[in-house]
Amino acid sequence: MIRLLKSKILMAAATALVLALNCAAQTSGTTQEVSPDPRIAAALQQISAKQIQANIEKLVGFGTRSTLSAQDAASIAAGHGIGAAREWIKAEFERYSKDCGGCLEIKTDAFTQEPADRIPQAIELTNVYAVLKGTDATDAKRIVLVTGHYDSRNSDTFDIRADAPGANDDASGTAVSLECARVLSKLKFPATIIFLTVAGEEQGLNGSHHYSQMAKDQNWQIEAVLNNDIVGGDKSAEQDHSVVRVFSEGVPAAATEQDLRRIRGLGGESDSGSRQIARYVADIGRTYDVGVKPLLIFRLDRYLRGGDHYSFNQLGFPAVRFTEFREDFHHQHQNVRAENGIEYSDVPKFVDYDYVSHVARLNAATLASLASAPAPPANVHLLTKDLDNDSTLTWDASPGGLAAEYELLWRATTSPEWEHVQKCGSTTRITVHLSKDNVIFAIRAVDHAGHRSLPVVPVPER
Ligand SMILES: [Zn+2]
């Protein structure tokens, strides 16, 4: 035991020596030592459980938000059906924009959804979103996006008559998008933030599928998608209100054959872009006191379930899903009723609004941090030409002018999260006395104020 410790200390000393030769400035530590941005911390205080409650109750008030429900003018005027919900979300985004001098661009992505499994006849489907355009000409092309689905369903996914309150699933996620928009629109960021609410989730992810395809066709640079679906913190006995789950895919759905060969050979199963977002969220949860801790779940989604993040994943966009710790399935996809002493329904009284506000804070802190940060460094390579127990990484400077320095991260191959960070200064090459065979590396960019980009795991270069 003592000998092991001694050798560890010697190794650390040797590491420090080699690093000293390569880095302009160095400190070694964990990735957790990031100090909060006071501007972001202050904004988080503006997130209101009361506002979230009002929004969820308003959405429930439309009776049903089934994607198949009414969208005609009379129903909209009567405040019933998905059309009325859509118009209200639009108006709400417009109200926030008015409060920030027109800083938000309110848009719709409307299209005809052809018949499919749960779509009996062609229907008009509309995603509603607000764009907070980045202030930097170059970095404005970079996009971080938060989404929730505003459609709902009851026991029968084709039933458009009976109420489908969908308070938790997913007025809660819609409320997160709305509240992030209301609060973050008061700030400015170099990169662009999109606040999205989609329809068609319950009928087969139709809205997010169309939206992500549009993003791909138009070459949008989406760096991260945060999907909030069932973040109401259902008040069941075994709920843990201190935790929110963050689901992320391991092997990317969009991996090419070449990607898969590398992943198989070198152990890249836990280093998708989505997983880097999940780790970033974990860091944010330690940096900001948001009231809820992210619990990383290293799988795409829950058993038998799916969500809108997958539409983005399928097209190669990194995306994660936030969901409460413990779902009560009596309170999802149910007609409002009581049977054998059990209350079935997804109604507001089961939603914990403080919990939703904590999840909204975690989302807002993540969006604001990513939108403040430099672009991730490009073309990150790990040189593997010669057999060598040292490791050399090279990269191109982070696109845009925000990066002040770079950091090398590494972790044991068996570790879920980054364990070590080493400052590299403004150099774009580093050699460390660590065997590439024993750890996983990544490089991230940092601006003058300490905002970190998403880390990029190197590809081997011979
Ligand atoms: Zn849902």
Side-chain angles (χ1 to χ4, degrees):
M1 187 65 117
I2 290 164
R3 276 178 64 187
L4 249 174
L5 275 174
K6 259 189 185 167
S7 74
K8 260 193 177 170
I9 291 163
L10 281 173
M11 209 176 96
T15 304
L17 187 69
V18 172
L19 288 165
L21 298 173
N22 288 282
C23 288
Q26 355 41 66
T27 45
S28 204
T30 71
T31 58
Q32 301 175 23
E33 294 159 2
V34 175
S35 42
D37 175 340
R39 195 179 72 123
I40 295 174
L44 299 183
Q45 297 310 308
Q46 304 303 310
I47 288 182
S48 155
K50 276 210 166 64
Q51 179 68 50
I52 284 168
Q53 176 175 359
N55 290 347
I56 291 174
E57 287 173 352
K58 182 74 191 178
L59 286 161
V60 170
F62 296 113
T64 178
R65 306 188 306 281
S66 164
T67 300
L68 310 176
S69 66
Q71 307 187 39
D72 60 285
S75 301
I76 291 172
H80 191 85
I82 193 163
R86 175 194 74 209
E87 292 306 311
W88 175 77
I89 292 167
K90 237 193 291 179
E92 199 64 8
F93 277 140
E94 272 154 12
R95 188 166 74 82
Y96 306 156
S97 189
K98 215 172 148 202
D99 285 350
C100 63
C103 74
L104 293 173
E105 202 182 337
I106 319 305
K107 302 184 94 164
T108 52
D109 162 36
F111 62 99
T112 302
Q113 173 64 52
E114 296 303 329
D117 277 0
R118 297 178 181 179
I119 309 267
Q121 68 240 348
I123 47 157
E124 187 80 352
L125 201 150
T126 307
N127 302 313
V128 185
Y129 61 111
V131 182
L132 180 62
K133 198 158 167 41
T135 52
D136 183 281
T138 308
D139 283 279
K141 295 194 186 86
R142 299 168 42 222
I143 297 167
V144 289
L145 185 152
V146 62
T147 186
H149 69 87
Y150 72 92
D151 64 310
S152 66
R153 60 165 288 184
N154 52 36
S155 305
D156 175 359
T157 189
F158 296 101
D159 175 6
I160 59 170
R161 255 181 269 279
D163 280 351
N168 193 349
D169 186 9
D170 185 30
S172 66
T174 304
V176 168
S177 275
L178 284 167
E179 189 62 354
C180 285
R182 189 182 70 82
V183 166
L184 294 182
S185 58
K186 293 170 183 166
L187 306 182
K188 297 203 182 314
F189 302 96
T192 294
I193 306 179
I194 292 180
F195 309 93
L196 171 64
T197 68
V198 298
E201 198 274 350
E202 303 290 10
Q203 311 306 120
L205 312 182
N206 315 81
S208 58
H209 180 73
H210 189 269
Y211 194 88
S212 54
Q213 189 64 54
M214 172 178 75
K216 186 163 168 88
D217 292 345
Q218 297 180 9
N219 287 317
W220 293 11
Q221 290 179 37
I222 300 181
E223 281 182 10
V225 173
L226 311 181
N227 174 31
N228 289 269
D229 196 350
I230 312 178
V231 292
D234 183 275
K235 295 170 182 166
S236 52
E238 292 173 75
Q239 187 62 276
D240 184 345
H241 295 271
S242 70
V243 167
V244 63
R245 292 181 290 174
V246 182
F247 289 86
S248 59
E249 64 175 3
V251 177
T256 62
E257 260 314 306
Q258 192 188 4
D259 294 334
L260 292 173
R261 265 200 302 279
R262 190 175 67 237
I263 288 168
R264 274 196 294 269
L266 299 170
E269 298 88 347
S270 194
D271 279 290
S272 65
S274 305
R275 194 134 302 163
Q276 308 309 345
I277 300 172
R279 294 187 178 107
Y280 195 96
V281 171
D283 266 347
I284 292 291
R286 288 183 283 260
T287 302
Y288 292 92
D289 182 16
V290 299
V292 69
K293 288 291 169 203
L295 172 67
L296 306 193
I297 307 285
F298 282 3
R299 53 168 53 118
L300 172 65
D301 212 321
R302 303 99 73 230
Y303 283 86
L304 301 172
R305 309 295 289 274
D308 291 317
H309 57 308
Y310 187 55
S311 294
F312 288 91
N313 285 160
Q314 282 178 303
L315 294 176
F317 295 115
V320 300
R321 173 193 185 121
F322 294 76
T323 297
E324 64 190 12
F325 176 71
R326 188 180 188 278
E327 294 164 80
D328 187 328
F329 302 108
H330 295 148
H331 301 160
Q332 294 177 12
H333 304 183
Q334 299 286 350
N335 282 60
V336 181
R337 69 197 192 279
E339 262 174 33
N340 304 324
I342 297 170
E343 258 188 297
Y344 293 88
S345 63
D346 184 359
V347 291
K349 70 174 175 180
F350 298 122
V351 173
D352 176 346
Y353 301 111
D354 285 328
Y355 180 83
V356 185
S357 76
H358 298 156
V359 175
R361 280 193 188 118
L362 181 60
N363 273 264
T366 305
L367 295 167
S369 298
L370 285 171
S372 302
N379 295 319
V380 182
H381 287 128
L382 177 64
L383 306 191
T384 58
K385 196 157 159 273
D386 304 309
L387 293 173
D388 185 354
N389 279 310
D390 289 351
S391 304
T392 298
L393 290 93
T394 65
W395 57 95
D396 293 347
S398 161
L402 296 179
E405 57 176 344
Y406 301 92
E407 289 178 341
L408 172 72
L409 305 176
W410 71 93
R411 66 177 205 272
T413 58
T414 50
S415 294
E417 287 197 61
W418 300 110
E419 297 173 310
H420 306 279
V421 60
Q422 179 74 41
K423 287 187 178 298
C424 302
S426 57
T427 182
T428 55
R429 180 187 182 95
I430 186 172
T431 300
V432 286
H433 192 54
L434 282 168
S435 170
K436 59 185 97 34
D437 300 325
N438 299 348
V439 298
I440 293 169
F441 289 114
I443 300 286
R444 69 182 174 194
V446 186
D447 76 352
H448 283 291
H451 302 112
R452 267 81 177 164
S453 76
L454 286 165
V456 181
V457 173
V459 292
E461 181 188 306
R462 285 218 253 185

